[in-house]
């Protein structure tokens, strides 16, 4: 109800413990499925399930049924042509990163796209070469087939040219990557991408951009630099480039600078006026055509000695089988490639699915990319994912479905079958310049560092650790190191930060005398249970187990003195009859008895530990009479946590007073009851429905806690205020008053 003229809600109800609430309100018990039930459901098949399985495995059926030809077809055609032109250029350019002949990039821009058209769930991403994956492939290719010296002694490489050996390595690696992605999709483990945080992916892709930039310098400068792989490969590559800097081809440098400046300016204009332009200006394609024409007209290859794309064979090559020996040699590198390729594609697909309001399936995406890479590897293409810039072109030019992607593949096929020869005079420095310009988005992620440092320092450490490790150790080891840093960050947050709540500064918030409220805002498990116990001891101001042992030692001493006659009980209290100084006993026998609850059954009176003890016996004084453990935010407990909480219950043995919890049904029923946490001392009646119920119960049993710290004559009307720490408000006892949080005061 609402009080007249008051801006607060008044809720009147009984004070509930968990037991009292369970008695007044009958619970609904829901029976969950057993493992056998899930197995039966999984293998049950009917017409409806078969139809759903077909639709999930072939998503093209779903969106083709709702395809609006009049509204979408023209947009898809425009988008497909624009994306296809960009895909041709990027296929040639990114192939250089993989250390392969340029025309194999056209294969990677065709075969995976066709398969993804049928199996993919995203309608907007452009499948094909991705620079980070190309660079990872290039590191493996140059390790097995280096620029200088013989290839590794692997069966199946004999009698092949260097380019043929590299193509076989790249296709076999792609095949294995596809097998891993397909297996993960079938096993429904698409959730693995969740372990790659946005911060980690940002740091990793930034490091990859640095590697790509360095790898393209040899084309921009017109230098001959051998491919180097492994840790510190970037440093060694820069050393070779600086040593050969005097051999720079000036013509390559001039061409590259002109291309980069023009492309950069036009791309900025595209971004600034994208709302006014019907389609972005395909400046890369325009500059490539101009560069081809100029290079052919002035014979740059002969006159200035620049390196050009060269002969591009017409048509597609016959399929090949993967080399099993290469599969064994590259298994370690294939797994991070499978993860990175899927993670990047899924992240981009998720952005567009949210923007255009449709759903994507991570497991189906794994299957789609797995089959695409397996099929493409058979026709000598290399691992595919999605390039951010190419996907942006497909979406921004009006692409509605993967029909645009299929049309882009047709454009690539036309170039491969008919007009590829026109690209033969294209300087490789042009391709290198195009790659470098397209790195802008990834390199600009360096700007995230100040933002992350201000907002979340652990995330900033993950970013810096991943980026630094990937730059110095290589992309495969760098990704593993980044995952390690991220895992350490998560563990440290759970272990160190969860109990670090700060005190509230409000004048109306105070801590009642003899009461301590300890809030645990995270799961408790083996990694943070010791930190939990140390923080609890710090909060209460004493070590419960030490106090318990001191008290039991004192009781042992009192019994011994009473038995010897050195101590007697009178109406005025204990009387010391010994003339000399009584030394504290050093008896160390039966130490396990010191950890048991204090027992007064054979003493003439119950000891008041707050008063002075006889015979010079000193026991630390404890002013705390009630401890509330706020478990409202605890979602998980493991066995180590349960054992730790059991030892914390020694506080109960010390005080024989309240030991109160708050927790949800899962923790209380599933964990604590099933693990036999409760006994004669730790009982379920100690649990209360809310923190306010627990606090009112304490104030009812110990009214002096309120009287010592508050003056109700000065307080007209206050309210219950739940805080993140161990403070309490001057609420009226035995009533629950909540202010309306929507009303400003």
């Amino acid at each position: 109800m609402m009080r007249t003229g008051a801006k607060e809600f008044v809720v009147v109800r009984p004070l509930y413990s968990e037991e009292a609430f369970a008695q007044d309100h009958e619970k609904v018990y829901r029976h969950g499925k057993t493992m056998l039930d899930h197995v039966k459901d999984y293998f049950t098949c009917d017409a409806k399930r078969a139809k759903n399985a077909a639709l999930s495995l072939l998503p093209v059926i779903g969106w083709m049924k709702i395809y609006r030809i009049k509204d979408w077809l023209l947009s898809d055609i425009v988008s497909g042509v624009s994306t296809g032109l960009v895909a041709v250029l990027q296929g040639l350019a990114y192939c250089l990163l993989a250390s392969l002949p340029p025309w194999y990039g056209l294969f990677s821009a065709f075969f995976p796209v066709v398969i993804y058209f049928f199996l993919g769930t995203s309608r907007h991403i452009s499948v094909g070469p991705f620079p980070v994956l190309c660079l990872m492939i290039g590191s493996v290719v140059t390790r097995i087939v280096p620029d200088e010296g013989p290839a590794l002694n692997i069966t199946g490489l004999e009698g092949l040219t260097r380019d043929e050996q590299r193509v076989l390595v790249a296709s076999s690696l792609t095949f294995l990557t596809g097998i891993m992605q397909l297996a993960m999709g079938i096993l429904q483990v698409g959730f693995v991408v969740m372990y790659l945080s946005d911060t980690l992916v940002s740091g990793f892709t930034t490091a990859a951009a640095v590697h790509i930039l360095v790898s393209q310098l040899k084309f921009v400068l017109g230098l001959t630099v051998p491919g180097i792989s492994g840790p510190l490969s970037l440093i060694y590559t820069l050393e070779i480039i600086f040593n050969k800097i005097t051999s720079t081809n000036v013509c390559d440098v001039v061409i590259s600078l002109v291309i980069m400046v023009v492309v950069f300016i036009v791309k900025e204009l595209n971004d600034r006026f994208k709302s006014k332009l019907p389609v972005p200006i395909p400046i890369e394609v325009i500059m490539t055509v101009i560069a081809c024409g100029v290079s052919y007209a002035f014979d740059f290859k002969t006159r200035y000695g620049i390196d050009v794309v060269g002969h591009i064979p017409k048509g597609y090559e016959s399929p090949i089988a993967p080399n099993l020996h290469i599969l064994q040699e590259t298994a370690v590198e294939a797994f991070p490639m499978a993860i990175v390729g899927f993670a990047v594609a899924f992240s981009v697909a998720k952005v567009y699915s949210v923007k255009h309001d449709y759903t994507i399936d991570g497991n189906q995406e794994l299957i789609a990319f797995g089959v695409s890479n397996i099929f493409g590897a058979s026709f000598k293409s290399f691992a595919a994912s999605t390039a951010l810039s190419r996907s942006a072109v497909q979406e921004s030019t009006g692409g509605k479905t993967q029909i645009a992607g299929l049309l882009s593949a047709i454009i690539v096929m036309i170039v491969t079958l008919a007009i590829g020869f026109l690209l033969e005079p294209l300087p490789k420095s042009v391709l290198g310049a195009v790659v470098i310009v397209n790195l802008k988005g990834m390199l600009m992620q360096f700007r995230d560092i100040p933002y992350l440092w201000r907002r979340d320092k652990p995330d900033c450490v993950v970013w810096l650790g991943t980026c630094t490790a990937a730059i110095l150790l290589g992309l495969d080891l760098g990704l593993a190191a980044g995952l390690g840093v991220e895992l350490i960050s998560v563990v440290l947050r759970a272990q160190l930060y969860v109990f670090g709540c700060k005190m509230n500064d409000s004048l109306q918030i105070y801590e009642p005398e003899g009461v301590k409220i300890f809030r645990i805002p995270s799961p408790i498990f083996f990694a943070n249970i010791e930190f939990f116990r140390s923080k609890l001891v710090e909060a209460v101001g004493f070590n419960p187990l030490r106090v318990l042992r001191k008290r039991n030692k004192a009781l042992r001493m009192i019994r011994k003195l009473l038995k010897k006659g050195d101590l007697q009980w009178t109406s005025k209290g204990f009387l010391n009859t010994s003339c000399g100084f009584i030394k504290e006993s050093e008896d160390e026998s039966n130490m396990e008895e010191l950890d048991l609850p204090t027992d007064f059954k054979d003493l003439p009176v119950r000891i008041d530990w707050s008063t002075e003890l006889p015979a010079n016996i000193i026991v630390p004084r404890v002013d705390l009479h009630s401890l509330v453990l706020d478990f409202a935010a605890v979602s998980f407990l493991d066995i180590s946590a349960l054992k730790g909480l059991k030892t914390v219950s020694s506080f109960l043995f010390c005080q024989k007073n309240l030991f109160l919890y708050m927790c949800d049904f899962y923790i209380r029923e599933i964990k604590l009851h099933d693990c036999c946490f409760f006994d004669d001392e730790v009982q379920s009646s100690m649990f209360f429905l809310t923190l306010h119920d627990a606090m009112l119960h304490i104030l009812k049993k110990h009214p002096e806690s309120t009287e010592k710290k508050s003056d109700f004559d000065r307080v007209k009307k206050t309210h219950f205020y739940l805080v993140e720490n161990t403070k309490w408000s001057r609420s009226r006892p035995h009533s629950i008053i909540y202010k309306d949080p929507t009303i400003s005061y």
Side-chain angles (χ1 to χ4, degrees), residues 695-730:
M695 202 61 208
L696 292 178
H697 181 75
I698 294 172
L699 296 179
K700 183 178 180 181
K701 293 181 68 70
H702 300 274
E704 71 280 359
S705 298
T706 301
E707 294 169 359
K708 290 181 181 180
K709 295 287 294 258
S710 62
D711 184 1
F712 283 99
D713 294 334
R714 291 165 48 196
V715 181
K716 293 183 178 179
K717 189 177 295 183
T718 57
H719 62 281
F720 166 62
Y721 198 97
L722 181 61
V723 295
E724 290 282 315
N725 50 45
T726 59
K727 295 279 183 167
W728 190 257
S729 70
R730 299 189 186 96

Side-chain angles (χ1 to χ4, degrees), residues 223-240:
L223 301 176
T224 301
V225 179
I228 302 174
S229 60
L232 301 180
S233 59
L234 185 139
I235 306 298
Y236 297 141
T237 301
L238 286 175
E239 180 184 8
I240 295 173

Side-chain angles (χ1 to χ4, degrees), residues 375-424:
F375 182 76
S378 302
F379 289 91
K380 301 183 181 180
S381 75
F382 49 84
S385 179
T386 181
L388 280 65
S389 59
R390 195 169 61 248
S391 296
V393 169
Q394 180 166 319
E395 192 269 342
S396 62
T397 53
K400 303 297 182 183
T401 64
Q402 280 300 326
I403 286 181
L406 187 63
L407 291 174
S408 71
I410 294 175
I411 298 296
V412 175
M413 181 181 67
I414 292 172
V415 172
T416 306
L417 296 177
I419 60 175
F421 67 93
L422 296 177
L423 297 173
E424 291 179 2

Side-chain angles (χ1 to χ4, degrees), residues 447-467:
R447 297 186 301 179
D448 293 344
I449 297 176
Y451 172 82
L452 290 173
W453 184 256
R454 291 193 304 268
R455 303 300 174 92
D456 196 328
K457 289 182 175 59
D459 266 354
C460 186
V461 172
V462 171
W463 195 101
L464 291 172
T466 304
C467 185

Side-chain angles (χ1 to χ4, degrees), residues 446-618:
F446 276 112
R447 297 186 301 179
D448 293 344
I449 297 176
Y451 172 82
L452 290 173
W453 184 256
R454 291 193 304 268
R455 303 300 174 92
D456 196 328
K457 289 182 175 59
D459 266 354
C460 186
V461 172
V462 171
W463 195 101
L464 291 172
T466 304
C467 185
T468 304
I471 289 175
L472 297 179
L473 302 179
L475 296 181
D476 47 357
L477 295 178
L479 179 61
L483 286 171
V485 174
E486 186 175 50
L487 178 62
I488 293 173
S489 170
V490 172
V491 171
L492 290 180
R493 289 192 199 211
Q495 189 170 359
L496 301 179
Y497 295 168
V498 293
F499 308 112
C501 300
K502 297 181 179 179
M503 293 298 185
N504 196 295
D505 296 328
S506 174
L507 295 177
Q508 291 186 336
I509 306 300
Y510 79 100
E511 190 174 71
E513 192 76 28
V515 181
K516 183 65 66 176
I517 307 171
F518 192 78
R519 183 176 185 272
I520 307 98
S522 85
I524 307 177
F525 55 103
F526 67 93
N528 63 8
I529 183 61
E530 290 300 326
F531 190 73
F532 162 73
R533 283 194 287 201
S534 65
K535 282 296 181 181
L536 182 58
V537 169
E538 180 183 328
V540 299
F542 65 93
N543 189 317
L545 192 58
R546 288 184 181 178
V547 173
L548 177 63
R549 289 176 177 174
K550 282 283 187 180
R551 290 183 178 182
N552 279 325
K553 278 187 178 181
L555 291 176
R556 182 184 291 182
M557 185 68 177
I558 290 173
R559 290 189 181 96
K560 185 176 180 180
L561 293 176
L562 287 172
K563 186 176 181 180
K564 291 172 62 177
D566 292 337
L567 193 65
Q568 294 181 359
W569 171 254
T570 67
S571 58
K572 296 183 179 181
F574 284 106
L575 177 64
N576 186 5
T577 60
S578 176
C579 299
F581 178 79
I582 298 177
K583 184 179 179 182
E584 184 177 354
S585 174
E586 298 293 337
D587 183 15
E588 298 294 334
S589 62
N590 297 326
M591 290 296 294
E592 63 275 5
E593 294 181 0
L594 299 180
D595 295 337
L596 298 177
T598 52
D599 187 3
F600 304 99
K601 63 181 180 181
D602 57 348
L603 294 177
V605 69
R606 187 181 182 90
I607 303 297
D608 184 0
W609 300 109
S610 62
T611 61
E612 184 177 351
L613 300 179
N616 304 318
I617 297 175
I618 300 176

